[in-house]
Amino acid sequence: MAYYKRPNKNNYLDKNIHARKADIQPLKDTIQELLKAYRIQGKVTQAQIIGSWEKIMGKGISLKTKELYFQDRKLFVALTSASLKHELIMSKTRVIQLINEEIGQDFIQEIVFL
């Protein structure tokens, strides 16, 4: 009587894992490449800035912010307080620096307070 001997699954998996190791790359790099390929990296960065606005600027400024929008790497911030607007205009370069540090790249080149 002949018995069928099944192949060793572990040996088969080990060979495939080692064969595909050269193709393995970190998930972060894969996502970055995908965003570049679909040309949506800028939109994702804009959404990240809007989502982090309260963390970057603080709750007080966030509450007095009416609207945030972008145009050609320029951030427009509509505020409800004239005195806050004047104060932020005076520290414009620091605000740009804080935003760019938060997202990890030099994305914002100019900021306009309205």
Side-chain angles (χ1 to χ4, degrees), residues 9 34 43 53 57 63 93:
K9 288 184 180 179
L34 183 66
K43 294 290 184 187
W53 182 252
M57 299 303 294
L63 289 173
T93 56

Side-chain angles (χ1 to χ4, degrees), residues 72-104:
D72 300 329
R73 295 174 60 127
K74 188 183 287 190
L75 174 61
F76 292 86
V77 182
L79 300 167
T80 59
S81 171
S83 60
L84 178 61
K85 175 184 167 186
H86 179 70
E87 194 174 317
L88 289 174
I89 288 173
M90 301 306 275
S91 59
K92 188 186 290 192
T93 56
R94 178 67 180 143
V95 173
I96 293 171
Q97 181 184 11
L98 286 172
I99 294 169
N100 287 335
E101 284 176 4
E102 176 66 28
I103 60 171

Side-chain angles (χ1 to χ4, degrees), residues 28-93:
K28 180 180 178 182
D29 295 342
T30 304
I31 292 172
Q32 293 295 329
E33 288 178 19
L34 183 66
L35 293 175
K36 285 180 185 176
Y38 285 107
R39 298 184 202 166
I40 56 174
Q41 178 64 46
K43 294 290 184 187
V44 171
T45 304
Q46 291 174 5
Q48 183 181 2
I49 291 169
I50 291 171
S52 302
W53 182 252
E54 184 176 341
K55 179 182 173 190
I56 296 168
M57 299 303 294
K59 190 165 184 96
I61 294 174
S62 178
L63 289 173
K64 294 184 180 188
T65 301
K66 189 168 36 172
E67 185 180 10
L68 294 171
Y69 60 94
F70 297 86
Q71 186 176 19
D72 300 329
R73 295 174 60 127
K74 188 183 287 190
L75 174 61
F76 292 86
V77 182
L79 300 167
T80 59
S81 171
S83 60
L84 178 61
K85 175 184 167 186
H86 179 70
E87 194 174 317
L88 289 174
I89 288 173
M90 301 306 275
S91 59
K92 188 186 290 192
T93 56

